[in-house]
Amino acid sequence: MGNQRTQVAIIGSGPAGLLLGQLLHLAGIDNIILDRVSREYILGRVRAGVLEEGAAGMLAQAGVAGRMEAEGLPHEGIAIAFSGQRHRIDLTGMSGGKRVIIYGQTELTKDLMDARLAAGAVSIHEAEDVLPHDFDGDAPYVTYSKDGTSHRIDCDFIAGCDGYHGPSRQAVPAPAIHTYERVYPFGWLGILAEVPPVSEELIYANHPRGFALCSMRSRTRSRYYIQCAADEDVDAWTDEAFWEELKRRLPAEAAEQVVTGPSFEKSVAPLRSFVAEPMRFGKLFLAGDAAHIVPPTGAKGLNLAASDIHYLFEGLREHYRDGSLAGLDAYSARALARVWQAVRFSWWMTTMLHRFPDTGEFGQKIQEAELAYLVGSQAAATALAENYVGLPY
Ligand code: FAS
Ligand code: PHB
């Protein structure tokens, strides 16, 4: 057994783990990141696209905001489309000047990985059987195996940043954790294509055939989604079929503007709302998707990972700098307060914009009333705007 020691062992090299690792490194706090897959595999995943100013600020604090500031697209509004019309929501005007930044999760993950490599901080990829141990005591440790050799990392704290399917949350004894879940009866079929976006800003469309979202990664690369069955077979969709269905769900003036082309990524994502409480178990702290999942309709998943890491890093820095556990003791309650606001907003956006098989004609009329109120009321649009740009940390 190979033995190592660090101050903070981080399980997961996604945005949450990498951001925490970078902040800890800059604060002189030793940490090791473990992931079960390679860097290349992680960078091959296509996920989020919208950053709140809070998350952008976390990247700046971590010293990795340069490319985002140069290449990210600041957006000041979104459109909500229904009944053949699109209606602009003035995010910036209704949130006291806040904006969101369009910058793909893949890119910020690369920026964080590059910074970690440059810093010479330790990341162990393709680590197998990663498991947290004794986090309810004073001597937690993580075990893993690699190339047939077993290893143990003794540490002060363990950060479970290993996503929804990771081992950290599953290592918590059942009586100590309570979960809340709603699984939606549909998924999102998404594509990436090297074509200019249909519009300057994102379009969220409610349509009797199902939800559609027009997003982007740059002015030459588009990201589109259409609501599909939760178990949709992605291989059953040709590009042509996708483009035709997307255009059916958009207002005619937008559908005419869609530039089509070959997709270079196509995938189906299931939609669920999930929260685990609490987010702290002795010396183990859950952050990001390990603790909560939101439907991507509100563009909150990645942004919640950033705010979790803000609270967790502040608590860890305070411990090592001042010997205080106050920040760490407050972590779970502080993080969950913001998590539930984002869970509520993501549920509300999903409920308002998707076709639900079991809500019938009454449900359809309620959706239409909700949408009409939203675009006709300054108060309703302001509520959407302040949640979409991100509530304060
Ligand atoms: P991640 O899941 O990104 O990272 C967890 C890491 O832990 C992974 O690298 C994984 O390999 C590792 N891990 C797992 N099990 C392990 C084990 N046993 N041992 C070691 N390591 C292990 N959010 C949005 O805002 N907008 C979107 O459009 C959007 N689309 C999404 C599409 C999909 C298919 C998914 C799954 C999520 C999407 N999300 C979206 C949410 C997503 O962006 C997450 O919120 C974000 O990745 C959270 O980051 P992390 O918490 O770091 O978790
Ligand atoms: C994306 O561009 O991937 C994206 C944008 C906004 C969302 C979800 C996904 O709400």
Side-chain angles (χ1 to χ4, degrees):
M1 161 93 68
N3 270 32
Q4 296 155 280
R5 195 183 199 296
T6 189
Q7 290 173 296
V8 182
I10 300 171
I11 305 177
S13 185
L18 285 165
L19 181 57
L20 179 61
Q22 180 65 7
L23 292 169
L24 290 172
H25 171 75
L26 293 176
I29 300 167
D30 190 58
N31 64 90
I32 293 176
I33 293 180
L34 298 122
D35 204 295
R36 66 185 166 87
V37 296
S38 67
R39 285 186 182 83
E40 294 69 26
Y41 186 91
I42 293 168
L43 292 175
R45 291 188 297 226
V46 179
R47 291 192 174 167
V50 176
L51 289 185
E52 298 170 355
E53 284 185 359
M58 294 297 292
L59 295 179
Q61 184 183 344
V64 300
R67 205 156 66 96
M68 176 196 63
E69 287 161 0
E71 299 174 16
L73 301 175
H75 277 205
E76 302 191 352
I78 59 172
I80 302 288
F82 62 98
S83 304
Q85 303 290 321
R86 63 167 134 165
H87 307 264
R88 185 172 190 269
I89 303 289
D90 178 6
L91 297 175
T92 301
M94 291 182 173
S95 66
K98 288 188 175 179
R99 311 181 298 182
V100 294
I101 312 285
I102 302 298
Y103 190 64
Q105 174 172 328
T106 308
E107 304 314 315
L108 71 87
T109 303
K110 185 178 184 315
D111 297 337
L112 284 163
M113 282 183 174
D114 289 349
R116 189 161 183 89
L117 283 168
V122 177
S123 285
I124 300 165
H125 283 272
E126 295 169 304
E128 296 169 37
D129 309 318
V130 179
L131 272 180
H133 301 271
D134 289 2
F135 43 84
D136 53 352
D138 287 332
Y141 63 97
V142 174
T143 56
Y144 69 96
S145 60
K146 185 164 170 72
D147 305 329
T149 303
S150 300
H151 298 265
R152 168 179 168 140
I153 303 174
D154 291 293
C155 52
D156 300 334
F157 301 102
I158 302 170
C161 301
D162 43 336
Y164 180 70
H165 300 288
S168 295
R169 189 182 71 250
Q170 297 176 49
V172 175
I177 192 167
H178 188 79
T179 61
Y180 304 81
E181 185 162 42
R182 166 155 303 180
V183 178
Y184 297 91
F186 40 74
W188 280 15
L189 168 62
I191 69 161
L192 269 176
E194 207 65 45
V195 293
V198 64
S199 71
E200 287 284 307
E201 296 176 331
L202 274 56
I203 304 175
Y204 290 79
N206 169 297
H207 189 277
R209 297 178 64 90
F211 168 79
L213 171 58
C214 304
S215 184
M216 63 194 77
R217 289 294 176 271
S218 70
R219 291 192 175 85
T220 58
R221 177 170 294 186
S222 295
R223 177 72 162 157
Y224 289 106
Y225 298 95
I226 57 174
Q227 175 183 343
C228 64
D231 59 355
E232 191 77 32
D233 174 8
V234 66
D235 297 326
W237 284 83
T238 63
D239 286 351
E240 294 65 34
F242 181 92
W243 292 120
E244 285 318 300
E245 186 58 35
L246 172 75
K247 287 192 265 189
R248 286 190 196 101
R249 300 186 187 187
L250 297 177
E253 49 79 21
E256 287 161 13
Q257 305 289 321
V258 172
V259 177
T260 66
S263 69
F264 62 89
E265 195 275 348
K266 195 182 289 172
S267 55
V268 172
L271 268 63
R272 80 176 71 239
S273 298
F274 173 86
V275 181
E277 288 191 357
M279 289 172 57
R280 183 258 182 109
F281 308 89
K283 298 292 178 64
L284 170 66
F285 295 83
L286 303 181
D289 278 15
H292 42 72
I293 296 284
V294 286
T297 328
K300 291 297 161 211
L302 175 56
N303 291 298
L304 278 180
S307 50
D308 287 352
I309 295 304
H310 167 76
Y311 301 130
L312 181 53
F313 169 66
E314 294 293 324
L316 288 166
R317 178 171 62 178
E318 182 188 61
H319 167 71
Y320 284 108
R321 186 186 57 199
D322 312 333
S324 164
L325 283 171
L328 291 175
D329 291 343
Y331 167 71
S332 183
R334 284 182 77 191
L336 282 168
R338 192 171 194 275
V339 163
W340 275 111
Q341 290 300 327
V343 167
R344 181 209 65 82
F345 175 67
S346 303
W347 163 85
W348 174 73
M349 285 281 279
T350 301
T351 304
M352 179 175 67
L353 291 167
H354 288 73
R355 185 68 41 233
F356 285 76
D358 60 356
T359 54
E361 288 182 336
F362 177 79
Q364 171 69 26
K365 297 303 282 182
I366 292 295
Q367 267 192 352
E368 289 169 11
E370 175 94 56
L371 288 160
Y373 178 63
L374 171 65
V375 300
S377 158
Q378 178 93 0
T382 300
L384 186 156
E386 65 179 23
N387 280 277
Y388 194 91
V389 300
L391 296 178
Y393 278 19

